[in-house]
Amino acid sequence: MYLIVPQGLPLVAHSAGFLFMKDYNKPALSINDQIKLLQSRGLIIKDINYAKTVLEKLNYYNFSGYTYIFEDKSNKRTHNFSNNTTFEEIFEVFKYDVQIRQLLFSCISYIEIFMRNIISRNFLDVYNNDPFANYNLMKYYNVNNEINKEVERSKEIFINHYKNEYLNYPKIPIWISVEIMSLGTLSKFYSSSERKLQTLITNNMNLYHYKYLKSWLFAITEIRNRSVHHSRILCRQLLNPPIIPKNIILNSNYDWKLLSNSHLFNFIVTLEYIVKVSDIYTEFTLPIIQSIYNMINNISNNKILKNKALISDIGIINNWKGNLFFC
């Protein structure tokens, strides 16, 4: 059997067979047309002028990411809204999402600073103060290539100074390379490391298991990148869910087993656990986490938000009272 493909039409393999690709031909919509489209799908817009004001400041494509939360998912996706969904309700979720993203990014920034330092120090302890040891280990081959690219892109004064002063370039010492690595590259550096280095790092962080930190760093990177790129985090499952420890070190106000790995609430609880166990700038991070909890608790009690599926989509456990998860 032969498949005839029209000339010039790309053919892409898919799990269900083959898909023909096509040119994107959707027209740009005016704000008035955007509002008409939302209304045609069943969205209640009580104040047209308010909706126009919002859409003048917020890209419709960004806004539509939040409409998905409120779509009727009982049948094949039609983009139609669940009964009684209002424009104000969707925009309310957008506002919470932005604020929670900003708070998470602030908390993650402290963790990122901490991780750069502890990886560098422990690396030197394991490799007898050799700051270039990663260039001699095949485990780091791919990561070293990423580091080299980031060094080339860097405009930092200390990188330019190093290039001009030292013959070792493009190799750079570990205490410099950790400062120009992206969080994603830093996570890969840890996951590529030998077990003895991973174990030393996790022991010094009071975590005592290298797999936990590996999964947590990738989850933190995912949320950090979503936050930086203004991508929705509410009611969206994690691609890299953090692994939950079997033996929790801290006393807990709640049962960690009730949490669902892939939900945002579990991620936030994991952040609280990390900063407490590892003592990561707790004077700053714990108040930020409490503010995030307050925001999520407000979602639970917000009268504008009638869609109670939001609570389960965020992963909030039933008996949670809005306070810190751990004692």
Side-chain angles (χ1 to χ4, degrees):
M1 179 178 179
Y2 295 93
L3 181 65
I4 307 296
V5 181
Q7 187 174 3
L9 192 60
L11 187 65
V12 178
H14 188 268
S15 58
F18 289 94
L19 294 177
F20 289 107
M21 297 184 70
K22 58 185 178 182
D23 289 329
Y24 187 87
N25 59 4
K26 292 184 179 180
L29 298 179
S30 67
I31 290 176
N32 285 333
D33 288 337
Q34 291 170 8
I35 289 173
K36 289 177 183 177
L37 178 62
L38 292 169
Q39 289 176 318
S40 72
R41 293 174 174 173
L43 183 65
I44 298 170
I45 303 179
K46 300 176 182 178
D47 187 335
I48 299 294
N49 289 329
Y50 174 74
K52 286 182 178 179
T53 300
V54 169
L55 293 174
E56 283 172 354
K57 300 174 183 177
L58 177 61
N59 188 329
Y60 179 81
Y61 200 76
N62 191 316
F63 180 79
S64 66
Y66 296 89
T67 65
Y68 176 74
I69 299 171
F70 297 89
E71 287 181 8
D72 183 359
K73 301 179 181 66
S74 57
N75 298 310
K76 184 178 179 180
R77 189 177 182 192
T78 60
H79 296 290
N80 292 329
F81 291 97
S82 301
N83 290 338
N84 302 318
T85 300
T86 66
F87 184 93
E88 290 76 13
E89 191 171 9
I90 296 173
F91 190 54
E92 195 75 4
V93 172
F94 164 80
K95 290 186 287 185
Y96 276 118
D97 192 65
V98 170
Q99 293 176 80
I100 292 172
R101 282 204 316 259
Q102 291 171 341
L103 289 168
L104 281 171
F105 181 76
S106 296
C107 185
I108 289 170
S109 296
Y110 287 109
I111 296 173
E112 188 174 346
I113 291 168
F114 177 90
M115 290 308 306
R116 293 182 191 281
N117 179 54
I118 197 166
I119 287 176
S120 173
R121 285 193 296 104
N122 286 273
F123 180 91
L124 292 169
D125 288 341
V126 168
Y127 297 111
N128 301 314
N129 283 326
D130 179 0
F132 303 101
N134 54 299
Y135 295 100
N136 301 319
L137 296 168
M138 282 304 298
K139 278 181 168 288
Y140 291 116
Y141 179 80
N142 291 329
V143 179
N144 287 336
N145 286 336
E146 290 192 26
I147 293 172
N148 290 339
K149 290 177 183 177
E150 290 175 4
V151 170
E152 284 300 314
R153 288 194 298 265
S154 177
K155 304 298 181 184
E156 293 286 354
I157 294 174
F158 61 85
I159 291 294
N160 288 329
H161 172 76
Y162 185 85
K163 287 179 182 179
N164 295 328
E165 291 288 328
Y166 299 103
L167 296 173
N168 304 81
Y169 181 80
K171 296 179 179 179
I172 58 176
I174 186 65
W175 54 78
I176 295 180
S177 62
V178 293
E179 293 301 326
I180 56 93
M181 289 185 208
S182 67
L183 183 56
T185 303
L186 191 72
S187 302
K188 292 175 186 176
F189 189 93
Y190 171 83
S191 65
S192 300
S193 297
E194 294 184 287
R195 185 75 52 82
K196 59 184 178 181
L197 176 55
Q198 293 179 340
T199 300
L200 182 62
I201 292 169
T202 49
N203 286 353
N204 286 334
M205 291 180 69
N206 299 318
L207 297 174
Y208 302 110
H209 203 294
Y210 68 94
K211 283 187 178 179
Y212 297 149
L213 184 56
K214 181 178 178 179
S215 79
W216 292 347
L217 285 175
F218 282 118
I220 288 170
T221 301
E222 179 183 341
I223 293 296
R224 188 258 185 205
N225 289 343
R226 287 188 190 178
S227 300
V228 169
H229 296 290
H230 314 292
S231 180
R232 174 171 61 87
I233 59 172
L234 284 177
C235 306
R236 185 175 174 184
Q237 294 195 344
L238 275 74
L239 299 175
N240 299 293
I243 299 172
I244 298 174
K246 294 179 180 178
N247 299 311
I248 297 174
I249 298 170
L250 294 173
N251 292 324
S252 178
N253 294 313
Y254 305 97
D255 184 358
W256 198 330
K257 294 177 183 177
L258 297 175
L259 296 169
S260 173
N261 293 44
S262 57
H263 285 83
L264 179 66
F265 189 71
N266 173 64
F267 174 81
I268 298 166
V269 171
T270 302
L271 283 191
E272 182 192 346
Y273 184 78
I274 294 169
V275 299
K276 278 188 171 180
V277 167
S278 303
D279 191 24
I280 301 177
Y281 298 104
T282 51
E283 68 273 29
F284 304 118
T285 52
L286 287 180
I288 292 172
I289 290 170
Q290 182 60 72
S291 296
I292 297 171
Y293 284 149
N294 292 342
M295 201 74 64
I296 291 175
N297 197 41
N298 288 341
I299 292 175
S300 304
N301 300 316
N302 190 313
K303 293 181 180 179
I304 295 177
L305 300 175
K306 303 181 296 297
N307 189 338
K308 298 308 176 186
L310 286 167
I311 307 305
S312 59
D313 286 345
I314 295 171
I316 304 170
I317 59 175
N318 288 332
N319 63 339
W320 181 61
K321 300 176 182 177
N323 56 330
L324 293 172
F325 204 86
F326 299 97
C327 303

